[in-house]
Amino acid sequence: MLALLLAFAAARPAVAQTVLRDSETELLFRDLSSPLITAAGLDPKATNVVLLNDPEINAFVATGQTVYIQSGLFLAATNVNQLQGVVAHELGHVAGGHAIRMQSGSSEASGISIATMVLGALAIAAGAGDAGMGIMMAGQRAALGRFLAFTRAQESSADLAGAKYLSAAGISGKGSIDFFKTLQNQEFRLAVAAKDSYDRTHPLGSERINSLREVYEKDPAWNRLSDPTLEARFQRVKAKLLGFVDPKRATVKYPESDKSVPGHYARAYAYHVGAYPEKALAEAEALLRTNPNDPFFLELKGQILLESGRPAEAIAPLREATRLAGDQPLIAAMLGHALISTEKPQHFAEAKQVLKEAVNRDNQNPFAWYQLGIIYDREGDLPRAALATAERNNLEGNPKLALVSAEMALKGIPHGTPDYLRAQDIAMVSRAELKNKKKDRRERDQ
């Protein structure tokens, strides 16, 4: 199930980016990154790789231990080894604490800029207008240079750390080199001068290739091939992602003459997004003929049926997908949605069970909380319906509504129970967020 959720930790300040959530994709990310995370000395349980719906070829880390891969980068990678090279590099930023150090580098640069702005203003006030403007411009240039030098040093450090992690995990660095060549080709098309990288945040592709090639070629894993099963999974996920984010391009790249699994996958999502449910179902059935017990093929069939207004027909494939997938809460949440969408009370008990299990395993799915709130409301359990709404609003970054719902829940849930304590936590966090927002507004107005 490819689905969109909002993520507020983004590379673009103050702009929410959409997270693409899908069980098959998240399992792929876990398996391709686990040996690299271990090699970096990080905790695999606390380190995540997340997919963002953004066409730019980019990856980044913010605060914490999360690597963000943008869909444009995923689609630009031609094999799983290239993606592992990117993840290894970004883990170098995580292990190096670069997101935190970036703030100090930015502060230092700002200090230089502010100081020279003051000197320039004094010179202008004294009648030396040209000299004052020159001081300001020189200060801004010095600040920019200091900041870019700081970030370029971090990029070089992350390159070397990523090479170390790949080597420790026994993974070839060829993919890393190949991907840098892709970026280098982009630079040539955009007429970026390879001789001058002063005003660039990252070193140019040619610089990075030259410095890393010698390191990688000496490594025993240089000629080692990727796990063919992992590679096949990568190609599947890449195809379904393309079908979801760019249906027109998907049908061109994977024409109906392409009878491969990635071909069927790409067209199934492209037709589904394009509102051709029968054609999408035909592609899903073609996938199931290759493997009737693949939980993600069953999930796809169920998703097409459910989102085409046929929830009763979606239940059987989604039940089987949930059983075969084991502990995949996103699939279970979709089953719960299908059960509720039938509007038949006999399905509500099962929906409640699968949705509670889903949110217990994955508390980051606001839609699952929304569906669980519907069940509580229909049961007449309004306090827990309010708690589910508070959970959803909390995840969606709406502290005002989360606080209102949490306070409603506290009025009806027995004191001291786990649900009561959870409502207390949400209320406390929401109050703190609202207080900080109010403080920020006052500071901006001053």
Side-chain angles (χ1 to χ4, degrees), residues 355-376:
L355 286 167
K356 287 182 72 173
E357 291 175 358
V359 296
N360 283 337
R361 291 197 297 266
D362 177 9
N363 191 35
Q364 301 301 309
N365 188 344
F367 189 71
W369 280 112
Y370 171 71
Q371 295 294 316
L372 188 56
I374 291 174
I375 291 293
Y376 284 131

Side-chain angles (χ1 to χ4, degrees), residues 226-412:
S226 297
D227 177 3
T229 301
L230 195 65
E231 178 63 29
R233 291 170 61 192
F234 168 83
Q235 297 299 339
R236 279 175 49 153
V237 169
K238 180 179 177 180
K240 72 193 288 189
L241 175 61
L242 182 62
F244 185 80
V245 301
D246 195 345
K248 184 175 180 180
R249 182 179 159 202
T251 54
V252 172
K253 183 173 181 179
Y254 299 94
E256 293 191 355
S257 58
D258 183 348
K259 303 301 182 184
S260 67
V261 166
H264 288 302
Y265 233 162
R267 292 191 300 275
Y269 273 96
Y271 293 148
H272 179 51
V273 172
Y276 297 99
E278 295 308 318
K279 296 182 74 173
L281 276 174
E283 297 292 350
E285 292 292 357
L287 288 169
L288 284 166
R289 284 194 291 273
T290 68
N291 185 354
N293 294 317
D294 188 306
F296 306 115
F297 296 165
L298 288 162
E299 176 195 26
L300 172 58
K301 180 179 179 180
Q303 181 179 6
I304 295 167
L305 289 167
L306 172 60
E307 295 175 0
S308 300
R310 298 155 67 178
E313 295 176 61
I315 291 173
L318 288 174
R319 271 193 188 130
E320 187 66 2
T322 301
R323 184 185 71 81
L324 292 170
D327 61 348
Q328 294 306 307
L330 291 176
I331 302 177
M334 186 182 288
L335 171 59
H337 181 200
L339 290 163
I340 292 172
S341 297
T342 64
E343 298 290 339
K344 294 182 178 180
Q346 63 263 35
H347 290 317
F348 291 170
E350 181 183 359
K352 181 179 179 180
Q353 179 183 348
V354 297
L355 286 167
K356 287 182 72 173
E357 291 175 358
V359 296
N360 283 337
R361 291 197 297 266
D362 177 9
N363 191 35
Q364 301 301 309
N365 188 344
F367 189 71
W369 280 112
Y370 171 71
Q371 295 294 316
L372 188 56
I374 291 174
I375 291 293
Y376 284 131
D377 182 72
R378 292 184 180 180
E379 288 181 340
D381 190 346
L382 298 185
R384 285 181 175 77
L387 177 56
T389 302
E391 294 277 12
R392 174 169 61 89
N393 286 316
N394 182 50
L395 290 171
E396 291 177 345
N398 195 329
K400 186 175 181 179
L401 291 179
L403 178 59
V404 171
S405 297
E407 288 177 340
M408 289 177 59
L410 288 168
K411 292 177 182 178

Side-chain angles (χ1 to χ4, degrees), residues 32 35-36 81 84 165-173 219 221-222 224 226:
L32 69 84
L36 298 169
N81 188 222
Q84 286 178 309
Y165 306 153
L166 288 166
S167 176
I171 298 171
S172 173
D219 191 82
W222 172 250
R224 189 168 298 165
S226 297

Side-chain angles (χ1 to χ4, degrees), residues 202-233:
H202 295 65
L204 287 167
S206 58
E207 296 173 355
R208 300 171 83 172
I209 291 171
N210 291 335
S211 64
L212 280 174
R213 182 182 291 278
E214 185 176 351
V215 174
Y216 283 130
E217 288 182 348
K218 292 178 180 178
D219 191 82
W222 172 250
N223 290 313
R224 189 168 298 165
L225 299 177
S226 297
D227 177 3
T229 301
L230 195 65
E231 178 63 29
R233 291 170 61 192

